[in-house]
Amino acid sequence: MKRLHEYKRQLLFLLYIIVRYSRLKRDPALDLGRRTFIISGKAAPGYAMAKLIIKLIHQIAEVINRDPQVSDQLKVVFLPNYGCLLAGENHPSRGPQ
């Protein structure tokens, strides 16, 4: 199980998503290409800040995914409890060669 931690890079990544969303809102004709951000992880039971980061991810995803103005260009997905089984479903191996 991949645990979510309070690292600066995760918050900067969320800020990058917000900036991209803001640019698309300001200029609907702007073509940044289609992008789906997939975020995954799990908070340790007593790790309050990690739980807040996950809550922030959900709130950002809710705003972006419900906005029809950017729906064809931007999506945010959070995969909860990301572990080996879920990873295998999303990133299958190439198989025997």
Side-chain angles (χ1 to χ4, degrees):
M1 195 62 55
K2 182 68 178 162
R3 297 283 183 190
L4 195 69
H5 295 280
E6 182 184 0
Y7 291 133
K8 182 170 45 175
R9 72 175 162 250
Q10 292 168 337
L11 295 175
L12 287 173
F13 182 61
L14 293 175
L15 285 174
Y16 170 71
I17 295 170
I18 293 169
V19 167
R20 191 175 179 98
Y21 173 71
S22 296
R23 289 178 66 196
L24 289 169
K25 288 296 286 183
R26 263 187 272 127
D27 184 3
L30 184 64
D31 184 15
L32 297 176
R34 293 180 180 191
R35 185 71 54 100
T36 298
F37 294 99
I38 300 173
I39 306 166
S40 63
K42 181 178 180 178
Y47 198 174
M49 185 56 73
K51 291 179 182 181
L52 286 174
I53 292 171
I54 290 173
K55 184 175 182 180
L56 177 62
I57 293 167
H58 282 284
Q59 291 171 336
I60 291 169
E62 184 176 341
V63 170
I64 292 174
N65 294 339
R66 288 186 179 194
D67 190 333
Q69 187 177 347
V70 300
S71 65
D72 62 334
Q73 294 188 54
L74 189 61
K75 298 281 185 211
V76 179
V77 177
F78 182 78
L79 302 174
N81 300 320
Y82 190 78
C84 294
L85 290 175
L86 188 56
E89 292 173 12
N90 292 304
H91 304 286
S93 66
R94 294 188 320 181
Q97 297 190 11

